[in-house]
Amino acid sequence: CLVWRHVVFSDPLLAARMDVDKAIQIFNTNAHLGVEFITTGIGMINGTEEEIAQWLERPQLNPQQVGKYLQTKSNKGVLHATMARKDFAGMHLDDALRTCLAAMPPVMTTSGTRRILKSFARRFCTCNPRYFAEAEEEAAETAYLLCFAMLMLNTDAHNASVEQKMTRPQFVAYIASSLNLKVKIPYLEGLYDRVTANEIRAEPQSAGPGSALVRSVFSW
């Protein structure tokens, strides 16, 4: 044991590797404790929002813990810094949403999910300034509301407990009647076809909380 401790502390690279492994292990159990460990515990990073965002890109980290950390209100700055590192240029909105939720799936709470989707929508529109025929702020709001609509559709289409599936005309009509969005019908039909054909895997499998949350936004 004494020999092992001597080897570890006399080899800075080995000691650093052990610190990294420990930090990942702690983070994958409790994200907030993991970030506290790498910042104030061992000083691996200085703790700026940009440095934490970069550290969160490590492939060994549990995506659920990443999402749980980023959706917390106190970590809003880290969330925006994380989104700023994403490149959604040239992607369809639904494909970009899949990429985002795979990396940081949110716990399905109203406030947490909204924070992640709002940040995602802004970043998507920054990467694709001509995707919607609106000014950037209006375009971001459109993208944000369409994300909720896609999550609702995803739950309806791919959960076996939902017996009456939403049809394409119903999906288009709900959005057209509930939201004042400058989006053409063929575009909405394309969203419907892609989401119903290819499940958004980050969406919770339960028809309860996810469906209720999304429907509450539109009062459906």
Side-chain angles (χ1 to χ4, degrees):
C1 182
L2 291 177
V3 173
W4 170 247
R5 286 174 60 86
H6 174 74
V7 170
V8 169
F9 289 110
S10 63
D11 187 339
L13 292 178
L14 180 57
R17 178 67 259 177
M18 291 181 67
D19 283 341
V20 170
D21 291 342
K22 185 176 182 180
I24 292 172
Q25 183 179 16
I26 295 174
F27 182 94
N28 287 342
T29 301
N30 186 307
H32 292 82
L33 289 180
V35 172
E36 182 179 350
F37 177 76
I38 64 172
T39 54
T40 61
I42 59 175
M44 184 185 300
I45 60 176
N46 292 327
T48 65
E49 293 168 348
E50 289 74 18
E51 285 185 329
I52 295 175
Q54 183 177 2
W55 194 82
L56 291 178
E57 293 180 344
R58 288 178 175 268
Q60 304 95 327
L61 298 182
N62 184 329
Q64 282 72 30
Q65 288 294 332
V66 174
K68 187 176 181 180
Y69 180 83
L70 291 175
Q71 75 176 33
T72 304
K73 185 177 182 180
S74 60
N75 298 326
K76 188 175 181 179
V78 180
L79 171 60
H80 294 332
T82 300
M83 284 296 179
R85 298 177 62 83
K86 304 295 183 184
D87 184 8
F88 301 120
M91 300 177 70
H92 280 299
L93 180 62
D94 51 302
D95 290 332
L97 180 62
R98 295 174 195 278
T99 300
C100 175
L101 295 185
M104 55 186 83
V107 178
M108 288 302 284
T109 63
T110 303
S111 58
T113 302
R114 282 176 173 167
R115 271 189 287 274
I116 286 183
L117 292 185
K118 276 185 175 294
S119 186
F120 161 75
R122 284 193 294 269
R123 179 59 181 168
F124 177 83
C125 291
T126 298
C127 293
N128 301 280
R130 295 181 179 84
Y131 193 84
F132 295 109
E134 300 170 300
E136 187 170 344
E137 283 300 316
E138 293 178 341
E141 184 67 13
T142 295
Y144 166 68
L145 293 173
L146 287 176
C147 285
F148 266 110
M150 284 189 288
L151 292 182
M152 178 277 299
L153 175 62
N154 189 67
T155 299
D156 278 14
H158 299 288
N159 194 296
S161 65
V162 179
E163 296 180 357
Q164 295 184 341
K165 305 295 185 182
M166 179 174 288
T167 65
R168 184 199 290 171
Q170 287 175 328
F171 178 71
V172 172
Y174 276 134
I175 294 179
S177 62
S178 301
L179 306 172
N180 185 25
L181 299 182
K182 299 176 183 178
V183 181
K184 295 181 179 180
I185 290 178
Y187 174 80
L188 296 177
E189 291 176 337
L191 282 185
Y192 177 91
D193 291 343
R194 291 192 296 273
V195 172
T196 54
N198 185 14
E199 181 180 5
I200 300 175
R201 295 291 181 180
E203 172 74 0
Q205 298 302 305
S206 170
S211 180
L213 168 63
V214 175
R215 290 178 183 276
S216 70
V217 175
F218 296 95
S219 299
W220 289 346

